[in-house]
Amino acid sequence: MKILFYDTKKYDRDSFEKMLPQFPEVEMDFLEADLSVYTARLAKGYDGVCAFVSSDVGGNVLHALSDSGVKLVLMRCAGFNNVDIDAAKEYGITVLRVPGYSPEAVAEHAMALALAVNRRIHKGYIKVRENNFSLVGLTGVNFFQKTAGIVGTGKIGAAMCRICRGFGMRVIAYDMYQNPDLDFVEYVDFDTLLAESDLISLHCPLTEDNYHMINTETIEKMKDEVILVNTSRGALIKTEDLIAGIRNKKFFAVGLDVYEEETNNVFENREDDILEHSITARLLSFPNVIVTSHQGFLTEEALASISQTTLQNAMDYKSGQMKEMNLVTVQ
Ligand code: NAI
């Protein structure tokens, strides 16, 4: 099986190469360039291509892949909103994905953001490097005996609930479905979660129904001095309203691994660019906000799990025994 990887970063290549001994039938080549109508032609002679969250797997690209004789797209991620499923069916291309890899990786990053921004680690780190050992501006709050409000208690939210319990927090949650594994969690309606939580962490997928679920109206329902963390999807929060809330001193701290308009920034070094949106700069101007670049998933364990499942998907395709939950389209 010859697979051509697109949009490869060093950590992708390292984790896939480490996994290769387990898959002796697979041959891999890596491109830094992402998938596009132009680069799709490079896949001629390969059995499949491997793409990522920000790759263009739209109709034109699938057409170009099909013209090059490629019938398999391996997504090395859970999401597939960038895949034109109808076009894949039309061109007879099977698309497989990695539905879950390490929920703890994302949940631990959510807690890392919450702790870092609460205890002003981002400021303390810079200050000490400048020989400034003053503690002014670094006061945080205890999490012990506070209330954590978890929105969405699927795989990642459940891991976050367990972490918060470990900190001695009362854990409340809002989800349409109650997770039976979380007997220590009190399910409440969304308004109660907003009103009672000291720490709110978002762990639900972005859908039409919850687009901008955090907005001026819902921010007003929150406790004063609340800490808000988002490791899910940027558009769950209406950023303009969040910025207004931060200016009005509603938030003690905000930690964001995802934010609206992140698309051009994610995973890229843009230090010489003039950014097209002012949102990132405005968020970064606040002393009580930390932004990371969609790195919640980035642990050794998660990368190993992604590469293992992706290469297994390739072998399952070859043997015709693909796992139902990994299939985006089947021919
Ligand atoms: P999951 O499918 O296991 O759980 C999602 C839960 O959210 C389900 O229980 C569902 O009922 C609930 N839900 C759906 N709509 C809701 C709403 N409007 N309000 C409250 N709950 C709602 O998903 P998983 O694996 O836990 O992932 C959650 C999200 O984390 C993903 O959708 C993705 O956006 C994000 N994510 C972020 C990563 C990062 O690197 N920052 C990496 C992987 C996922």
Side-chain angles (χ1 to χ4, degrees):
M1 283 285 291
K2 281 184 71 183
I3 300 165
L4 183 61
F5 282 68
Y6 287 89
D7 192 24
T8 320
K9 304 283 189 278
K10 186 182 177 306
Y11 48 82
D12 295 314
R13 187 177 182 143
D14 288 350
S15 69
F16 274 93
E17 284 182 340
K18 239 188 252 174
M19 203 53 69
L20 204 52
Q22 289 182 34
F23 297 91
E25 289 177 53
V26 175
E27 271 180 60
M28 304 184 293
D29 285 311
F30 297 94
L31 293 177
E32 280 182 27
D34 207 345
L35 194 50
S36 71
V37 178
Y38 308 106
T39 60
R41 298 179 208 293
L42 299 170
K44 201 172 176 65
Y46 287 85
D47 299 298
V49 298
C50 183
F52 198 43
V53 269
S54 42
S55 304
D56 175 358
V57 198
N60 291 340
V61 169
L62 289 163
H63 188 187
L65 285 174
S66 164
D67 276 355
S68 303
V70 173
K71 293 286 171 226
L72 172 65
V73 173
L74 298 163
M75 301 299 296
R76 55 178 190 278
C77 53
F80 52 89
N81 50 306
N82 48 339
V83 179
D84 185 332
I85 296 176
D86 293 337
K89 284 186 181 150
E90 185 184 337
Y91 300 122
I93 295 177
T94 298
V95 183
L96 288 150
R97 68 181 182 123
V98 183
Y101 30 94
S102 174
E104 289 76 19
V106 185
E108 287 175 18
H109 189 71
M111 185 46 104
L113 276 176
L115 283 173
V117 75
N118 165 26
R119 302 302 295 268
R120 311 295 197 240
I121 302 295
H122 55 305
K123 294 185 76 187
Y125 172 74
I126 301 289
K127 281 171 91 152
V128 170
R129 282 171 70 102
E130 299 291 333
N131 290 347
N132 176 353
F133 304 100
S134 153
L135 299 183
V136 174
L138 302 185
T139 311
V141 293
N142 283 7
F143 281 168
F144 180 62
Q145 291 188 341
K146 296 280 168 50
T147 299
I150 310 301
V151 181
T153 53
K155 293 180 285 297
I156 298 171
M160 185 61 174
C161 287
R162 291 189 198 99
I163 291 171
C164 291
R165 181 173 64 152
F167 273 73
M169 303 181 85
R170 168 186 175 231
V171 186
I172 62 175
Y174 167 66
D175 196 314
M176 288 82 77
Y177 307 97
Q178 299 201 0
N179 185 330
D181 296 337
L182 300 175
D183 55 2
F184 59 94
V185 170
E186 197 185 315
Y187 279 89
V188 295
D189 60 39
F190 189 44
D191 280 0
T192 306
L193 182 138
L194 295 172
E196 294 190 7
S197 302
D198 301 290
L199 164 65
I200 296 177
S201 194
L202 306 181
H203 297 287
C204 54
L206 177 65
T207 62
E208 271 175 24
D209 297 339
N210 62 21
Y211 176 77
H212 284 173
M213 73 193 296
I214 303 297
N215 52 44
T216 299
E217 197 188 322
T218 50
I219 289 171
E220 267 168 20
K221 292 177 181 167
M222 293 179 192
K223 265 187 176 179
D224 288 342
E225 308 254 291
V226 61
I227 296 175
L228 175 68
V229 171
N230 187 10
T231 55
S232 241
R233 284 293 176 264
L236 291 174
I237 299 180
K238 188 170 178 193
T239 316
E240 290 294 333
D241 292 2
L242 175 69
I243 288 172
I246 296 168
R247 287 223 167 92
N248 292 337
K249 301 197 170 65
K250 182 74 181 179
F251 296 94
F252 185 77
V254 176
L256 304 173
D257 189 42
V258 291
Y259 51 95
E260 291 183 294
E261 285 137 17
E262 68 177 25
T263 312
N264 292 340
N265 302 347
V266 164
F267 311 139
E268 301 302 330
N269 178 354
R270 304 195 63 200
E271 61 191 7
D272 289 330
D273 292 359
I274 292 170
L275 299 185
E276 49 286 278
H277 299 294
S278 59
I279 293 272
T280 323
R282 274 200 281 164
L283 284 171
L284 289 172
S285 71
F286 298 116
N288 57 344
V289 175
I290 292 186
V291 179
T292 52
S293 186
H294 209 134
Q295 70 180 69
F297 73 100
L298 195 65
T299 65
E300 293 286 347
E301 290 80 358
L303 290 173
S305 172
I306 289 169
S307 42
Q308 217 276 340
T309 306
T310 303
L311 296 181
Q312 189 59 53
N313 278 343
M315 298 317 299
D316 292 349
Y317 170 78
K318 197 178 171 204
S319 66
Q321 294 183 326
M322 293 164 284
K323 289 180 195 69
E324 187 67 36
M325 65 187 302
N326 297 8
L327 271 170
V328 177
T329 63
V330 64
Q331 303 312 319

